[in-house]
Amino acid sequence: MANLINKLLKETSWGLLTKATAMPLFLLLNFFIAKLLGKELWDEWALFNSYLSVMVLFSMFGIKATVKYTAEHNHTPLLPNVLRDAFKLRMVVMVFFGVFIFLISTPLANLIKNPHYAPLFRIAAVLVPIVSLVEHFKGVFNGLHRIKFNFFITATEFLFKLLFAFLLLQFVTNLSSVVYGFIGGVILAALVGGFSFYQYFYKQLEPASERSFVHSLFQYSLPLFFISVGFMIATEIDTMMLGWLSEKSEVGDYGFAKQIVTKLPHISYAIAMGTMPVFAKITAENKSRMRQLFYRIVGINTVVFLFIAAGIILLSRFFILLLLGDDFEGSVLPLQILTVYVLVFSFIVFLNQLLDYQGMARKRAINLQFSLVLNIVLNYLLIPKYGAEGAAFSTSISYLPYLFLNLSDVRKILN
């Protein structure tokens, strides 16, 4: 038990360092984008970025399956086969989504009644596949329990996104400059991830047999893909419905608040990154120990996020007005309301990963549907009257059924 805890502490430290590096850079990136674009262009960016996030979530097809299979077969002769076949699947998915996004760019822009987004969607046809490749390498290193490589990838990605976007916006103040800056950052991150993966792992391994995992990876990816679709709707439908049912100024107010709170649960991901892969192997002999370990991890998460929630409620108005000015005052109340989302989702992170490692992705997909329906209904009822505040309330409340259903399934596994 002591050796296991020492290993988890080491990997968790790398995970926390990764997020401790990414979060300030991410917040700084959004601060400069908002500051340099101005409120009106920021409102446009907030809506476009919502659609961009949807595209990225779709393109993640297969990544969580890669994490699961890599963790299961780590330190076994079949690991090289898993790594090889997961990479093959990623290449096919990348090409498919890149071509698909390019082909639908103009029809999609017209459908959402923002035809000026069409050139941005065409640029996204390059950005989105590369993002999925970066996330693939991160998933592999998660499964291998070598989180320090995720630190190098993440630091490279956010540092150069910030640098390139900042420099390009000095010359041309439009949304294309931001997207091109993102492309530069993720290309460098993909190069760091690819080099690390090949040099330190793949080159040193030889497939033990001709056994293929492509079909298994694809098959397990399907329920995870539908979870991603549901997750996309549950997390991005609020911004989209704001664009449909309210003003773009409300989209911008909500978008800034959401950019902050959606990254805060990454602290939970950092803890989970170093701890949760061990839950891929729960047996009758170790179940009691695993249950004790899981509750200890969740307890640490609880303490951390109670402090974070208090900080958001007490200090958000002061810092938003200080850094961005009165134009962004509309972001304060949505941010405070979304504190509920931050708390709820910080726990969902651990429940989701344990269920995924136990092969229960399909059950998790079913659980998500309740929150999905609730989110759409609440947004439809509240956005026309309350705007950004209504969207924040809907998002926060709608995740509660997902939390409790997943918790019930996890308790069955551990007990």
Side-chain angles (χ1 to χ4, degrees):
M1 184 68 172
N3 290 336
L4 175 61
I5 291 177
N6 288 336
K7 172 67 174 173
L8 295 182
L9 286 174
K10 179 181 177 181
E11 297 301 320
T12 302
S13 297
W14 277 110
L16 289 171
L17 180 61
T18 300
K19 299 305 180 183
T21 302
M23 283 186 60
L25 290 174
F26 174 83
L27 294 175
L28 199 59
L29 173 63
N30 279 277
F31 166 75
F32 278 118
I33 291 174
K35 199 77 172 175
L36 295 174
L37 287 179
K39 184 60 166 65
E40 187 174 345
L41 277 177
W42 168 263
D43 296 342
E44 292 281 358
W45 169 253
L47 183 58
F48 170 76
N49 191 45
S50 180
Y51 288 100
L52 182 63
S53 299
V54 170
M55 294 176 181
V56 170
L57 283 170
F58 270 100
S59 72
M60 295 299 178
F61 183 91
I63 286 177
K64 289 190 177 180
T66 297
V67 179
K68 176 183 184 297
Y69 276 81
T70 302
E72 279 187 355
H73 295 281
N74 196 11
H75 304 300
T76 72
L78 289 173
L79 177 62
N81 301 60
V82 172
L83 298 178
R84 175 198 63 196
D85 293 339
F87 188 73
K88 287 180 181 178
L89 182 61
R90 175 54 34 201
M91 291 297 102
V92 173
V93 171
M94 279 180 60
V95 173
F96 172 81
F97 276 102
V99 173
F100 179 73
I101 292 169
F102 184 83
L103 292 176
I104 68 165
S105 56
T106 300
L108 177 59
N110 292 331
L111 178 66
I112 64 174
K113 298 181 180 179
N114 283 278
H116 56 291
Y117 285 177
L120 294 173
F121 286 140
R122 284 193 286 273
I123 303 172
V126 177
L127 173 63
V128 170
I130 303 174
V131 170
S132 76
L133 180 61
V134 171
E135 295 302 317
H136 169 81
F137 289 130
K138 291 179 183 178
V140 167
F141 292 131
N142 280 349
L144 292 171
H145 232 225
R146 301 299 298 275
I147 310 303
K148 70 176 181 180
F149 293 101
N150 279 356
F151 167 75
F152 300 133
I153 296 171
T154 302
T156 301
E157 176 186 354
F158 282 99
L159 180 62
F160 284 97
K161 272 185 178 179
L162 173 61
L163 177 62
F164 291 144
F166 178 80
L167 291 176
L168 289 172
L169 284 171
Q170 303 302 311
F171 295 100
V172 183
T173 307
N174 60 25
L175 304 191
S176 296
S177 295
V178 180
V179 181
Y180 281 124
F182 282 19
I183 290 175
V186 296
I187 286 175
L188 291 177
L191 291 174
V192 170
F195 174 80
S196 301
F197 171 66
Y198 180 78
Q199 184 69 23
Y200 297 103
F201 296 98
Y202 193 79
K203 188 175 75 171
Q204 302 176 20
L205 300 171
E206 290 293 334
S209 68
E210 292 301 316
R211 178 178 172 182
S212 173
F213 283 88
V214 172
H215 178 73
S216 299
L217 285 162
F218 182 83
Q219 188 176 43
Y220 191 69
S221 295
L222 285 174
L224 290 171
F225 175 74
F226 288 113
I227 288 175
S228 296
V229 173
F231 178 78
M232 170 271 297
I233 297 173
T235 57
E236 296 301 332
I237 196 65
D238 44 11
T239 306
M240 293 180 184
M241 291 183 74
L242 269 173
W244 303 335
L245 302 174
S246 189
E247 303 295 328
K248 278 189 179 175
S249 60
E250 295 286 335
V251 177
D253 290 340
Y254 182 70
F256 188 81
K258 189 175 178 181
Q259 287 294 319
I260 296 174
V261 300
T262 54
K263 290 302 177 184
L264 289 174
H266 280 226
I267 298 172
S268 299
Y269 281 114
I271 300 171
M273 198 184 298
T275 58
M276 295 308 294
V278 299
F279 291 93
K281 300 174 183 178
I282 298 178
T283 64
E285 290 74 21
N286 71 7
K287 183 174 289 187
S288 176
R289 179 163 53 94
M290 289 299 181
R291 180 172 61 248
Q292 181 183 2
L293 177 62
F294 182 77
Y295 290 138
R296 184 182 299 179
I297 293 168
V298 172
I300 294 171
N301 180 79
T302 302
V303 174
V304 170
F305 274 89
L306 285 175
F307 278 102
I308 290 173
I312 293 174
I313 293 172
L314 296 174
L315 302 175
S316 55
R317 177 177 293 277
F318 171 77
F319 281 107
I320 287 177
L321 297 183
L322 174 67
L323 297 174
L324 294 173
D326 293 341
D327 286 345
F328 285 82
E329 185 174 5
S331 298
V332 175
L333 184 54
L335 177 57
Q336 292 172 333
I337 295 171
L338 285 168
T339 304
V340 177
Y341 164 87
V342 172
L343 288 170
V344 169
F345 205 85
S346 74
F347 295 113
I348 288 175
V349 167
F350 299 99
L351 301 174
N352 285 355
Q353 292 206 16
L354 192 148
L355 292 174
D356 286 348
Y357 280 122
Q358 286 297 301
M360 295 183 65
R362 190 181 304 275
K363 184 63 169 63
R364 188 159 73 83
I366 295 171
N367 294 345
L368 184 60
Q369 304 312 307
F370 295 95
S371 291
L372 169 61
V373 173
L374 180 60
N375 197 14
I376 293 174
V377 171
L378 288 175
N379 276 313
Y380 182 78
L381 293 174
L382 298 178
I383 285 176
K385 184 175 182 180
Y386 299 104
E389 289 85 0
F393 181 82
S394 302
T395 297
S396 298
I397 297 301
S398 63
Y399 273 99
L400 289 174
Y402 190 44
L403 170 68
F404 292 128
L405 289 170
N406 283 357
L407 177 61
S408 176
D409 291 330
V410 165
R411 291 183 67 181
K412 290 175 184 177
I413 293 171
L414 295 178
N415 293 329

